[in-house]
Amino acid sequence: MDLTSASVLIAIAAIFVLVGLVKGVIGMGLPTVAIGLLGLMMTPARAAAILIVPSLVTNIWQAAVGGHFRELIGRLWPLFAGIVIGTTAGALTLVHSGGTAATLWLGLALIAYALLGLIRIEFKVPPRHEGSIGFVCGIATGVVTVATGVFVIPMVPYVNGLHMERRKLVQALGIAFTFSTVALAAALQHAGEFQFGVLWPSLIALVAALIGMRLGQTVLGRIRPETFRLCFFIGLLLLGAHLALRAVL
């Protein structure tokens, strides 16, 4: 696929306006939805390479805002260390992963994330085991990230299970997403997927995502976030099912 063709660039821009809108309304979903929609056009690895710049910019901003950066680093460092280790381990096998297998795993990851969102299962992490569970979840998240480009499973359920207050939770997710994005970029570079050719599509994706987030803030005042959230997870479930079925049929 020629990433510099007008039709592909227009499609990428449209996708990122949409995912930016989603993030603007419910505060999450940009990398997950983007990987899923781009996966309809290209391999998950190539989609993840395009996602790196917009994901890194938005996540650094989210990680820097909140006033609890040092506290969260001190508390969640086992999770972050696990992410780096898991991503590194996964990167050693990324170059051997076929496109069909990667698409299947991407579809299954989206299905799992959507079901967790729809069922709304709440986990509670025991404080005395927070570090060890976080380390294991970080390793698992790193492996899943390399395989699919999605870095929400099982990291997001784990962080939600810490039951932080809202401001800390948002900042904690921003820091974790930043670690995952940087680690994924290194893995993609190792696999030869993160090349200069994805820079222009990535910059277009960044601008489109910021426009979408602005539109999302406008939509936020006209629709109930819970209604939008329900539609988001149903759509994600259908997208994941489509990708998984396409990979096996």
Side-chain angles (χ1 to χ4, degrees):
M1 173 180 291
D2 182 8
L3 294 179
T4 62
S5 70
S7 59
V8 172
L9 292 176
I10 290 172
I12 290 173
I15 287 172
F16 276 88
V17 168
L18 175 61
V19 299
L21 187 148
V22 171
K23 186 174 179 66
V25 174
I26 63 176
M28 62 180 185
L30 189 151
T32 310
V33 181
I35 287 289
L37 292 176
L38 288 173
L40 297 172
M41 304 165 50
M42 60 190 73
T43 65
R46 179 58 58 86
I50 293 174
L51 179 66
I52 291 298
V53 171
S55 178
L56 188 61
V57 171
T58 54
N59 287 327
I60 287 177
W61 176 83
Q62 185 174 335
V65 176
H68 303 283
F69 185 83
R70 290 186 178 180
E71 174 189 346
L72 291 171
I73 289 291
R75 180 178 181 181
L76 299 178
W77 70 264
L79 172 69
F80 305 146
I83 288 172
V84 173
I85 293 173
T87 305
T88 301
L92 298 178
T93 59
L94 178 64
V95 293
H96 303 296
S97 299
T100 300
T103 300
L104 174 61
W105 285 115
L106 172 58
L108 293 177
L110 295 180
I111 290 172
Y113 184 46
L115 288 176
L116 285 173
L118 289 170
I119 299 173
R120 307 199 74 157
I121 298 176
E122 291 192 8
F123 300 94
K124 184 171 178 59
V125 179
R128 66 182 180 278
H129 300 307
E130 187 176 300
S132 58
I133 294 175
F135 182 66
V136 173
C137 285
I139 292 176
T141 298
V143 173
V144 172
T145 297
V146 174
T148 67
V150 174
F151 35 74
V152 295
I153 301 293
M155 180 179 66
V156 170
Y158 166 77
V159 175
N160 283 330
L162 299 177
H163 293 280
M164 303 178 185
E165 59 95 7
R166 178 65 179 175
R167 186 178 293 271
K168 282 187 180 180
L169 174 63
V170 172
Q171 188 172 18
L173 289 173
I175 297 171
F177 289 153
T178 300
F179 269 91
S180 293
T181 303
V182 172
L184 178 59
L188 292 169
Q189 177 65 33
H190 169 76
E193 292 286 350
F194 196 54
Q195 302 171 352
F196 182 77
V198 303
L199 179 59
W200 184 236
S202 293
L203 293 176
I204 290 178
L206 173 60
V207 174
L210 294 176
I211 293 173
M213 289 176 67
R214 178 59 179 170
L215 292 174
Q217 292 298 312
T218 303
V219 172
L220 184 59
R222 302 181 181 180
I223 186 173
R224 293 179 61 244
E226 285 304 310
T227 301
F228 194 92
R229 180 187 175 91
L230 176 63
C231 295
F232 164 69
F233 282 117
I234 291 175
L236 202 62
L237 179 63
L238 295 174
L239 177 60
H242 172 75
L243 288 169
L245 288 173
R246 191 181 72 173
V248 298
L249 295 179

